[in-house]
């Protein structure tokens, strides 16, 4: 398991001063160019999720979509997207959140969620936690239950998990 984590960590690219001076950008896409690391990540994900009792996988627009359907296939449970506003047809619930510059709104279709569904929320990375917090609030509007928020990378120095109030699991941490 440690070897897999090392492989994964090595495959995550780091870009200083992107997208702005002072930001150290951690890029998950390096993992998709390195097949050994991609397999390691798949194994780590499977090992972790097999113990989760969930009915539904929900992932965040857009990089959460890289992992949601994969987890869905492994667990044999359906996948739903949370999308930035104006992209999902039908009845949606929505929740706005603050970004570094301005505001964004998440939407989720309600017709495919049962009350009390046990939901796993997935994204690539937890930074300030603002996106994940909005996703949690969006899911809660449907009266589903959140079992866990699962991310590949956590920027621990930003203390995002402290604002979430639900269990959070990450595989790779950076201060
Ligand atoms: C990134 C990342 C997370 C979020 C983390 O997505 O994929 O979803 O930011 O930041 P936070 O914890 O401070 O909210 P972004 O909003 O850049 O959208 P994208 O996935 O469409 O690139
Ligand atoms: N990498 C990718 N997405 C992000 C980051 C990062 O370091 N910080 C906030 N969103």
């Amino acid at each position: 398991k440690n070897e897999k984590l090392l492989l994964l960590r090595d495959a995550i690219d780091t870009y200083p001063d992107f997208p702005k001076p002072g930001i150290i950008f951690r890029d998950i896409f390096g993992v998709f160019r390195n097949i050994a690391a991609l397999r390691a990540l798949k194994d780590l994900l499977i090992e972790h999720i097999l113990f989760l009792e969930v009915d539904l996988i929900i992932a965040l627009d857009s990089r959460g979509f890289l992992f949601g359907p994969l987890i869905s296939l492994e667990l044999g449970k359906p996948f739903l997207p949370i999308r930035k506003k104006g992209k999902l047809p039908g009845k949606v619930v929505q929740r706005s959140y603050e970004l570094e510059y301005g505001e964004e709104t998440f939407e989720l279709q309600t017709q495919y969620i049962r009350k009390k569904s046990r939901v796993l929320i997935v994204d690539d990375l937890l930074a300030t936690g603002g996106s994940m917090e909005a996703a949690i609030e969006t899911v809660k509007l449907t009266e589903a239950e959140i079992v866990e928020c699962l991310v590949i990378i956590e920027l621990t120095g930003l203390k995002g998990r402290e604002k979430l109030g639900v269990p959070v699991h990450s595989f790779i941490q950076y201060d």
Side-chain angles (χ1 to χ4, degrees):
K1 174 160 186 188
N2 236 17
E3 241 167 68
K4 287 175 182 167
L5 285 170
L6 286 175
L7 259 174
L8 177 58
R9 198 180 180 95
D10 273 350
I12 294 166
D13 296 312
T14 297
Y15 296 89
D17 298 317
F18 182 87
K20 289 186 306 179
I23 305 274
I24 301 172
F25 191 82
R26 310 290 182 175
D27 184 21
I28 193 74
F29 284 109
V31 175
F32 292 86
R33 298 192 310 269
N34 179 332
I35 299 305
L38 189 55
R39 286 210 180 90
L41 175 54
K42 183 185 172 211
D43 292 348
L44 288 163
L45 274 171
I46 290 171
E47 252 171 65
H48 177 76
I49 61 177
L50 282 180
F51 299 101
L52 295 176
E53 296 204 347
V54 301
D55 308 310
L56 180 63
I57 320 302
I58 293 182
L60 275 61
D61 193 348
S62 62
R63 284 172 266 162
F65 298 171
L66 297 166
F67 308 103
L70 177 87
I71 292 169
S72 184
L73 276 172
E74 289 299 329
L75 286 180
K77 301 292 177 183
F79 166 78
L80 283 182
I82 279 183
R83 296 217 61 189
K84 291 168 186 168
K85 72 166 180 302
K87 310 274 189 180
L88 289 174
K91 188 168 184 293
V92 296
V93 285
Q94 52 173 229
R95 178 86 188 190
S96 296
Y97 61 103
E98 298 291 322
L99 292 165
E100 262 173 311
Y101 295 117
E103 208 189 56
E104 185 54 82
T105 300
F106 274 153
E107 291 183 343
L108 174 63
Q109 291 167 312
T110 53
Q111 60 187 308
Y112 307 116
I113 307 182
R114 283 179 289 107
K115 281 184 191 175
K116 306 289 178 200
S117 287
R118 292 167 300 177
V119 173
L120 172 67
I121 306 182
V122 181
D123 203 2
D124 66 323
L125 177 142
L126 185 72
T128 65
S131 304
M132 190 58 87
E133 185 182 32
I136 289 169
E137 296 302 328
T138 309
V139 171
K140 282 184 175 168
L141 290 172
T142 70
E143 297 176 55
E145 275 173 35
I146 296 157
V147 173
E148 182 179 275
C149 296
L150 179 58
V151 295
I152 314 305
I153 303 170
E154 178 178 7
L155 307 184
T156 52
L158 296 172
K159 301 188 191 299
R161 74 161 62 214
E162 291 178 15
K163 65 163 70 115
L164 300 183
V166 296
V168 177
H169 183 84
S170 61
F171 293 100
I172 302 288
Q173 298 81 29
Y174 298 97
D175 189 38

